Structure formats: C-alpha cells, structure tokens
Amino acid sequence: MRLYDLANVIRSKNAGPFTLTVDLLFEDDSRFQKILSYEILSPKTVAELYDVRPEDVTIHPFESVKAIKITLPRPCKASSGAPGDTDVYGSSQHYPLADLELHLSLPKIPSSCFLALRTF
Amino acid sequence: MKSITFVSPCGMLGYGYPLESLESAMACKPDFIGVDSGSTDPGPFYLGTGKSFVHPLQLRRDLLPLLQASRQVGIPLIIGTAGGSGSNKNLDFFLDILLQAAKENDLHFKLAVIRSEIEKLVVHNALEEDRISPCGFSGPLSASAITETNRIVGQMGTDPIIAALERGADVVVAGRCCDTAIFSALPIMRGFDPAMSLHAAKIGECGTLCATPAGANDTLICTINQDSFHVVPANPDRSCTPETVAAHSLYEQPNPNCFYEPEGKIDLSDCDFTADDRRGVTVRGTRLVSPDKQTVKLEGTALRGYRAITIAGIRDEKCIENIDVIEANVRQAVQQNVRSTIKEDEYSLRFIRYGLDGVMGKLERSTNKPHEIGLLIEAIAPSQELANMIVGLTRSTCLHQHFPGRKTTAGNLAFPFSPSDFQGGEVWEFSVYHLMEVQDLDSLFPVTFKEI
C-alpha cells in the first residue's frame, strides 16, 4: 500500500527558501508505530526518491501528534523562486514519497477520517 | 504581574480577518496587538524589487482597524517585516500607507521605526573574519555572491523591539523581523518567561492557523502566565485542540521538537497541551537553551535576468509521444537561430510539461501517458527584449516542428490567447541566506521615533 493511502495528512512546504519539509500525520497510533518500524522509510530511500544526499535527509517522529517529519534540501536544486524552480512554496513536493509502497495489510484511510484531520 | 494577553488578528497583514473577531478579542482587554506583515514564502522577487506582495488597499483594510483599536485603549501595536520583506523600500511603502490612514482618521501616536537593511560591507567584513555560516542548505557564502546581491536584510529578534517599547513607542514598525519577536518582545520586557513567551509567539504568529478549522485569516487571543500560556480563537466557530496546537509546531519547521530564534533554542520535547472547555488550549513545559553566540539571519537577493513565457496545449497523441524529440529539436533550432544575437550560455530555455512531469520534472516516476499536455515555455535572458525574442522564436518553432510520424502538419500547439506570449519581468534568486555572528546588535537595527 502506498504511503499516500496510509497517512491521514501528507503535505510538503518550504522550511526557508533552501529546505523542504514533508509531514506525515496519522490518526491511529498502531498504524503510526507500525510505519515508524518500517526500515524502508529511511534517509536512504528518501535520498533516492528526491535525488539528494542521504546525509542531508532527517526523519523525526513526533509522538505527541503521531506525526513523522522528513526534512531535505529542495529537490529541484533551485532555491524558492530561483530559475529552474517548479514549486515556489514547495507545497506539491510530497511525491514521489507519497507513491512509496509499504507492504502493509492495513485498511486505506476512509475519506471521513481524512476530512477530520486535513484542516491542520 | 500575573499575565499578559496579546491579539494576533491574522497570519499576515493583508490576508484579511473578520472585524467581529477583532472586536471580541479587544473585549478581552489585551496588553498589545501584534501582526506579521511579510515573509520569504512568495519567493525572492519581493525583496529583490522592494515591492509588496499584498495589494496596498488590502494592507490598509487590515491595518486601519488595528490602529484604531490600539489607539482607542492605548496599547502598543507591533508590526513586523513591514511591507513584505523588510527592506527600506518595503518599509517606506508601508509607512506611507500607515501615515495616510492615521492622518485621514485623526489618529496620534508615538511611532518607532526599526530599519533592518544591512550594508554589504558589513557582510563582506564578516565573511573575511569567518563569521558567516550557511542556514539550512544554502551552502557556503562567497564574496562574489555578496557583490552581486542588490540588498541584504537582517532578521531582528526581540531586542530592538524592546528598545522601541522601553522608550514609549505606541506603534512599532519593524523591518525584517523574526515572527516570534513581534509577539514575545513585550512579554519578555515585562519579565515573563522567555521560553513561554517565544513558544506562545510561535503558535500565535499565524493567527488561527493553529485552530480548527484552520485559517491564517482570523484572530487568536493568547495569554502568557508565569509557567504556561493559553490560546483561544476569537471566533466562536473555531477551536484550538491539543492536537491542532501541537501540530502547528510542525508547520514550516525542519524539526518539530525544537526551533531556533536569536534568543536561543526553544525545546518543545517535554511540552504538555491541555484542552479547556472553552475552545482553548494551555501549553506548559517549554524550555529555552541560550545560544553560544549571537547570530543574525541574513537574506539577500540577486537579479538573474528577465523572464518571458508562452502557454499552449498539446492534444495530438503522436505529438505527445514525441514530446522529448520535439523539445530537443526546437532547442537546437532556436540556438542556431539566435547565436548571432546571444550566446547559448547567456539565456535559459525551459519546457514545463504539465500533465506529464510539470511539477516533479526528472523526479517524476509516474509512467501514465496523458491525453493532453499543458506546455509552458520559459525563456530567461539578460534583457526583457531578448527574453521576448527567444520565447517568440521558440513558440513559432515549436508550433511547426516536424517529428517522426507527424500527422498534425498544420501546427502542434493550441494557444488559448492572442497574444500568446507574456512578459514575466525580473527574475531574482536568494543569493544570501546565512547566519552572521555579531557582537553589537543595536547598530544593525537602528530605532527612530516620530510623534504622529
């Protein structure tokens, strides 16, 4: 199942003009813990997907809100708004991570659940 | 001194807020109103040009009620990153609007203006003395990067705002400013815990973005006590919950467990969020770790050329199939055509192919074949005329470009407009985004006063 179907919220945004941050938010604690335990969600995987160096990728869990934050250099190699940029605010850079397949047998997030959390 | 209350009317001056929300917030007898008026979010153009990214009429619409409310009850109004990016040009643009609104409404106050533009020589000297370090992934700074930069602003912390408030400012208009400084300066000045004050400021600076339903266009009331702070939306249709407030710490930050301000590292790892029964949340347990050295974040911009674009649709299936071949051949034809006018390394040409890989570019992994493509062709060149010429030539070449198996011999592109090409104007880039170690902060952020 894709990460997109497992997370209640998956969003990206600039953290300053040179850094991108991707947030994954979960409603269900067991799902959150299970995803954290999967080795595939690693700096190495993220680095391959976004063509950046693994040592520049950090992955932080945030237990109190069942969230995982992934931070990396802006993947298009251009700072926000510079020649070559395709996404000034960085708000559509959650792919290709969102397409990452995690081989879990969990139900997809129902849409009502998604609506409850998407207002963050 | 039991508590201090501030009102954050909206996440950004010019994003709008309901006047009813401001009215309810003022009924809570706040000690000050704070509002952010700028950001690097919309990109480097606004610092580069000194233009505002919010329309002056909308800025005035949001500013006047705050000015009136604060003058009516005699509490400070603190505005940070005035006019968009805090350069002198942005600041002067903002002051024009403020002073005109004050004059027309017979409002009088002691105005403090804090400038934040930094001389390039100061940054050159700091570089030579090895006092500059990258911020995020901005890489090392070079002397030539400073030279090609048109203006540099420094992000002030709480100190210059406190200096203005201590001398009795009613309205503080600050240049480039940490969002937290706007809301934590007065609490820190009055002796409240800096950790609580800075965390409250961080949560409060986006208006009700920390509430549900979330929005940067509504008012938040924040009260700081000795060992906690409390946030509640002024609008009864919105609520804060422990989850929404805790989750706001994630927003636009590289690390959810801490954030850094000139005052130090604010550690959130032991924070506790408690709901009350009145749509509010109380936060406890924030800690502040003082910094080893005093630094100022610098932002600077360099002009990279002028942009022209054209937009067209591609519907033909053979054309879509051959899009890479078409692009390569068009590039080559254009280069051969313009080489007597401009060298290949003096301009850039970009084909953004919406529907195929427009957002992700080379990182796109989807192999789905679209039935149509939105093609955006961009030229960046040393002058607007050259950019216009290159995009025009690229457009006509692409319209008639041959490719294997072509059936669309009358033309490959569907243009929605006449004229089909657009001038994008100046193209800027953040050329400085670095931390500078400093000894004397006051000289970087001079405060001036004026009775209005």
Side-chain angles (χ1 to χ4, degrees):
Chain A
M1 190 181 281
R2 297 179 312 150
L3 202 47
Y4 191 86
D5 301 315
L6 291 163
N8 294 80
V9 170
I10 178 164
R11 65 184 186 188
S12 69
K13 185 84 201 277
N14 295 344
F18 291 82
T19 303
L20 183 76
T21 183
V22 184
D23 297 340
L24 309 172
L25 275 68
F26 301 88
E27 266 193 359
D28 178 69
D29 194 53
S30 62
R31 185 184 293 254
F32 170 61
Q33 296 298 342
K34 199 160 186 178
I35 285 161
L36 270 186
S37 72
Y38 267 71
E39 282 177 14
I40 190 167
L41 193 62
S42 67
K44 186 170 170 284
T45 308
V46 174
E48 278 167 14
L49 290 173
Y50 287 96
D51 191 23
V52 296
R53 300 187 311 172
E55 57 267 38
D56 289 338
V57 178
T58 53
I59 301 180
H60 279 289
F62 195 29
E63 303 273 346
S64 64
V65 283
K66 298 187 279 293
I68 301 170
K69 178 174 271 295
I70 301 161
T71 301
L72 61 153
R74 280 174 63 89
C76 64
K77 317 284 182 212
S79 62
S80 167
D85 188 17
T86 59
D87 187 356
V88 170
Y89 291 75
S91 55
S92 293
Q93 302 298 306
H94 51 303
Y95 291 94
L97 186 69
D99 274 334
L100 185 68
E101 280 288 341
L102 298 180
H103 297 286
L104 293 176
S105 52
L106 289 168
K108 280 192 181 187
I109 300 293
S111 56
S112 59
C113 210
F114 179 74
L115 280 173
L117 251 174
R118 68 185 301 181
T119 50
F120 277 163
Chain B
M1 183 186 68
K2 279 184 173 166
S3 67
I4 183 168
T5 296
F6 69 77
V7 169
S8 172
C10 53
M12 175 89 65
L13 207 58
Y15 279 15
Y17 56 88
L19 293 174
E20 299 77 20
S21 292
L22 178 65
E23 205 177 312
S24 325
M26 291 309 291
C28 298
K29 298 192 170 27
D31 297 275
F32 71 99
I33 302 172
V35 69
D36 181 23
S37 175
S39 174
T40 56
D41 272 2
F45 177 85
Y46 303 95
L47 176 59
T49 58
K51 289 180 181 168
S52 170
F53 59 88
V54 175
H55 195 277
L57 291 175
Q58 184 58 29
L59 209 51
R60 187 192 151 99
R61 181 271 175 203
D62 279 6
L63 178 62
L64 182 58
L66 304 183
L67 205 51
Q68 287 169 320
S70 65
R71 294 330 313 133
Q72 203 169 4
V73 292
I75 58 170
L77 170 62
I78 304 168
I79 300 141
T81 315
S85 50
S87 76
N88 287 342
K89 200 172 164 188
N90 294 96
L91 213 55
D92 293 336
F93 155 83
F94 184 88
L95 287 169
D96 279 350
I97 295 171
L98 176 89
L99 296 180
Q100 200 185 343
K103 192 176 172 186
E104 286 171 14
N105 293 275
D106 198 26
L107 296 168
H108 301 279
F109 45 88
K110 183 170 181 176
L111 171 70
V113 177
I114 313 173
R115 296 200 179 260
S116 59
E117 227 175 283
I118 293 178
E119 291 283 332
K120 288 204 285 185
L121 186 62
V122 171
V123 184
H124 271 298
N125 290 342
L127 184 67
E128 275 177 27
E129 291 163 14
D130 203 22
R131 289 189 283 115
I132 303 272
S133 55
C135 189
F137 296 100
S138 60
L141 187 63
S142 66
S144 61
I146 302 171
T147 304
E148 68 189 19
T149 296
N150 77 322
R151 55 169 68 97
I152 300 175
V153 291
Q155 268 197 20
M156 70 185 81
T158 48
D159 287 348
I161 299 176
I162 290 174
L165 293 167
E166 274 175 344
R167 289 174 60 188
D170 299 309
V171 176
V172 179
V173 175
R176 189 64 176 125
C177 181
C178 297
D179 296 345
T180 51
I182 303 166
F183 303 95
S184 60
L186 193 61
I188 290 173
M189 178 180 131
R190 296 215 180 140
F192 286 87
D193 177 22
M196 283 299 126
S197 304
L198 286 158
H199 192 189
K202 187 82 194 166
I203 299 293
E205 56 106 351
C206 287
T208 52
L209 210 55
C210 65
T212 179
N217 56 355
D218 209 342
T219 306
L220 191 77
I221 305 160
C222 182
T223 302
I224 302 166
N225 300 296
Q226 278 309 331
D227 58 354
S228 67
F229 70 89
H230 177 266
V231 285
V232 63
N235 185 339
D237 294 337
R238 297 181 197 266
S239 306
C240 285
T241 71
E243 290 77 22
T244 62
V245 175
H248 188 65
S249 304
L250 292 169
Y251 183 65
E252 293 179 333
Q253 286 297 316
N255 184 339
N257 292 318
C258 68
F259 60 93
Y260 294 86
E261 298 293 336
E263 294 76 16
K265 172 183 166 181
I266 294 89
D267 186 343
L268 313 179
S269 44
D270 291 330
C271 272
D272 172 56
F273 302 86
T274 324
D276 63 23
D277 53 2
R278 292 166 292 111
R279 303 182 291 108
V281 166
T282 298
V283 183
R284 288 188 181 80
T286 315
R287 287 177 314 206
L288 177 67
V289 184
S290 293
D292 306 336
K293 47 199 174 192
Q294 205 158 34
T295 57
V296 170
K297 190 196 276 183
L298 305 174
E299 294 164 358
T301 44
L303 184 64
R304 296 297 186 222
Y306 296 79
R307 173 181 286 126
I309 63 162
T310 189
I311 301 167
I314 302 178
R315 181 62 180 83
D316 179 73
E317 58 201 68
K318 286 273 175 210
C319 194
I320 290 171
E321 215 172 279
N322 284 281
I323 187 79
D324 290 334
V325 177
I326 295 170
E327 180 180 328
N329 290 338
V330 168
R331 280 181 182 280
Q332 198 180 9
V334 169
Q335 189 218 323
Q336 283 176 358
N337 218 298
V338 301
R339 65 183 170 190
S340 59
T341 315
I342 183 168
K343 286 189 208 144
E344 196 183 357
D345 60 1
E346 288 175 336
Y347 72 93
S348 69
L349 200 52
R350 182 158 64 138
F351 289 66
I352 306 180
R353 311 176 306 182
Y354 289 106
L356 193 64
D357 57 2
V359 175
M360 295 310 303
K362 286 181 182 148
L363 297 176
E364 183 55 64
R365 295 189 166 215
S366 169
T367 50
N368 296 343
K369 285 283 165 233
H371 68 274
E372 71 176 20
I373 288 176
L375 180 66
L376 193 156
I377 301 173
E378 174 204 51
I380 300 177
S383 73
Q384 189 67 60
E385 275 308 302
L386 282 168
N388 295 351
M389 177 201 82
I390 293 165
V391 102
L393 180 69
T394 309
R395 182 237 315 133
S396 59
T397 309
C398 197
L399 175 63
H400 297 297
Q401 181 64 43
H402 179 74
F403 56 86
R406 186 186 190 205
K407 297 192 183 194
T408 55
T409 52
N412 303 323
L413 305 177
F415 295 103
F417 311 122
S418 167
S420 54
D421 307 347
F422 299 86
Q423 296 191 165
E426 294 172 1
V427 180
W428 292 84
E429 180 171 9
F430 283 110
S431 47
V432 178
Y433 191 74
H434 291 79
L435 296 174
M436 178 170 73
E437 275 176 53
V438 286
Q439 302 290 339
D440 175 26
L441 268 175
D442 296 349
S443 65
L444 293 179
F445 304 110
V447 190
T448 53
F449 295 88
K450 195 177 178 184
E451 288 293 342
I452 304 298

